[in-house]
Amino acid sequence: MLAYLVIREGSKWSDVFRLTPGRTVTVGRASTNQIVIKDERCSRYHAEVFLTQGSWTLRDLESRNGTMVGGKVVQGDLTLSPGDIVRIANCQMAFVHDLSKAFADSGAKLSLATDTGEETVIGEYVSDTRDSHTLDAFEPTRITHRRGKTKLLAPAKDAPSTARLGKAAAQLCHIAFNMAKETDAASVAKLALDGLFEGTRANAGGVLLGPRDADEDLTVSELELIASHTDSEANYHVISSFLAGTVLREGEAVLARNVADDSTLGTRDSKGEIESTSVICAPVRRDNMVIGLVHLYSTSAERSLDPDDLEFTLAVADNLALAVKNLGRQQELVENLSQTQSEIVQLRQRLGAESDIVGSGILMQKLQQAIAQAAPSRATVLVRGESGTGKELVARAIHFASPRRKGPFVCLNCAALSETLLESELFGHEKGAFTGATDRKIGKFEAADRGTLMLDEIGEMSPSIQAKFLRVLEGHQFERVGGNQAIKADVRVIAATNRDLEKDVAEGKFRRDLYFRLHVVEILVPQLRKRVEDVVELAAHFLERFNGETGRKIRGFTPDALEQMQKYRWPGNVRELKNVIERAVVLVRNDRIDAGDLALSSLAPAGESGELPQPELAYEPTTLAEMERRHIQATLNAEGWNKSRTAAILGIERSTLDRKIRRYDLKSNK
């Protein structure tokens, strides 16, 4: 049986669609429908027509504004009869079996509604016994305009040429400029509302936003009111759940007018009476995802919102979305920076915990920066510094801050072993290689495979070991003492010394090629006397440690003890300070360590013989004669008033020294 849908839009016939058995025909605004209706009041997939049990049936697909036949809203499935007029938005479709009949009396059957200006009257709502969920699908029959993208932000050639366009564009520019200067979402939302009240007829409204970290579609319950405003004394009334859910789901702005009797669109006051007469709800979109809503309404019939207000609201909502997005990026940058700084602090604390590096002075900060720069690479590191400064701790810190932290850290003192034993310790030996070699032994290179090998006092290594060591450093294989099996190990070498290697190279005591192979990255560990600001911190650190080890409860140091420790030159560096604090913790009788409890030596630091053990820290202007007197007195005291040694140190004759002693009236302090 032949069947047709004769389509009429407005006052003109537009098309005839033939219905085919076995094929379902869908009607809607989306371009994938067989019958496309380009009307804002038509849902994307509005209705469908299909053949069942020999009859053509119409089914509404839960459309927003409903499907009507004969002036009544379609409920469920409706069997079509020839001559029925299907009304969807401003489109009419006549169902006929004979095309000639459709056009013959079309004047009587197709004139079911009239147009009144911009809004098409589509009939009155018919009450029935449907459940509340089904009613929601049909109640907003007065949503008259929807907009997915505003024309105000379109290119100039496509922009509408209306009288309000220039004013709206100027207002948008002003709003966007002010929003860009704000630093929080609430201030941005308030500015957006202020601009909307100036550019639209709304007298109440609010901005609702979802969580900043939301990565899924928002629900109505997740929305939070960020800002609201009314022109009257009445409070702002939040958007209805139905309207909010519709905009969140569809992602398009809607305008509903004449809603004074529609509870799903209007807003109610404290007495339950509907206040609004027209409503606009626009989505705040970021990257095609709705992150909030702009809700405006008017409570006066004389100030009814119109499509131009809808355009302006959607434009402001898009600008608001951009401002919120930029604020989110700024907050993320601040959070990332804070997290990075926190991680740096944690890494420094972890580095200090794993390597016992203590000190917050400038020199120690530079040392830790040097460690952090050297750690990630595989380059050989040469750590230089006086004895007791903590070269091994620096090497350990480099290891734990490097990608090899999970590998072994092996340390060997080259000065503590003879040449034969040092070779065995480095490369291992086979059973029977020499007297006492009862078992095979793995050398330090093998033990440190995929880790770090720290060689202390590298300058004490004999020339023959230096040659073999250099070959391994160059990446060649090695053999155990007494063996012939080639062995290769992935080892990073950190060498340490307190010797002047350049002088040893010049004197032929250290191989020049090995020196340059070791001198890839050099780290200098400062002497304790050059970082006086760290002495108190180190002393407190060692006091806490030895309190825990000994069970003592020493509370701290007296001011005299702290002053003396800061003035002392510490020739033994941190090692000496550690031993001094340990001795004091063990022997002190009071709950605080006093200056008399510190066993400080009278030795001068290396290379500083003749200096006062406790020099004045501040500069004191004086004459050369006075400086000479003090220097001679200090040298005599340091040498126990041995005049021959003192004269040799001063580089003068013994008789000259005697004359100066008499001139300056120098006396022994014994």
Side-chain angles (χ1 to χ4, degrees), residues 62 89 139 179 222 231 297 408 420 434 517 560 606 665:
E62 297 185 357
E139 283 182 316
M179 286 195 298
E222 292 179 295
D231 287 345
Y297 61 88
T420 304
F434 50 83
R517 183 62 182 83
D560 290 341
D665 192 21

Side-chain angles (χ1 to χ4, degrees), residues 342-398:
S342 176
E343 290 176 354
I344 290 174
V345 172
Q346 292 176 2
L347 287 174
R348 286 180 174 174
Q349 292 175 347
R350 189 186 308 168
L351 182 64
E354 293 176 341
S355 61
D356 284 337
I357 292 181
V358 178
S360 56
I362 296 178
L363 291 178
M364 291 307 294
Q365 292 179 15
K366 291 181 178 180
L367 176 62
Q368 296 217 10
Q369 289 175 2
I371 292 172
Q373 290 176 338
S377 70
R378 299 185 53 175
T380 304
V381 180
L382 179 61
V383 182
R384 308 180 76 163
E386 290 184 3
S387 179
T389 52
K391 296 186 290 296
E392 181 178 341
L393 299 183
V394 172
R396 190 180 299 274
I398 294 174

Side-chain angles (χ1 to χ4, degrees), residues 72 153 201 203 279 295-296 410:
K72 295 183 179 181
L153 297 181
R201 296 180 175 88
N203 56 13
V279 177
H295 175 223
L296 301 177
V410 181

Side-chain angles (χ1 to χ4, degrees), residues 118-244:
E118 294 180 348
E119 180 176 356
T120 303
V121 179
I122 59 177
E124 297 297 329
Y125 170 72
V126 180
S127 177
D128 54 31
T129 58
R130 293 174 295 163
D131 60 72
S132 59
H133 176 74
T134 307
L135 280 172
D136 286 346
F138 293 96
E139 283 182 316
T141 56
R142 293 170 176 81
I143 294 180
T144 57
H145 289 83
R146 295 189 299 155
R147 177 64 62 187
K149 186 176 181 181
T150 176
K151 297 177 181 179
L152 294 177
L153 297 181
K157 62 180 181 180
D158 299 326
S161 56
T162 64
R164 298 172 62 182
L165 176 60
K167 181 180 178 181
Q171 289 175 325
L172 279 177
C173 181
H174 180 71
I175 294 171
F177 179 76
N178 288 332
M179 286 195 298
K181 297 187 294 184
E182 297 299 330
T183 58
D184 60 273
S187 300
V188 169
K190 184 178 183 304
L191 279 174
L193 278 180
D194 293 343
L196 285 168
F197 289 138
E198 291 181 9
T200 68
R201 296 180 175 88
N203 56 13
V207 174
L208 303 94
L209 294 178
R212 183 169 66 91
D213 55 352
D215 54 359
E216 297 180 353
D217 293 339
L218 279 177
T219 60
V220 177
S221 61
E222 292 179 295
L223 292 173
E224 179 183 357
L225 182 65
I226 301 299
S228 63
H229 181 72
T230 61
D231 287 345
S232 61
E233 296 181 357
N235 294 327
Y236 164 75
H237 298 287
V238 297
I239 187 172
S240 68
S241 298
F242 176 81
L243 184 57

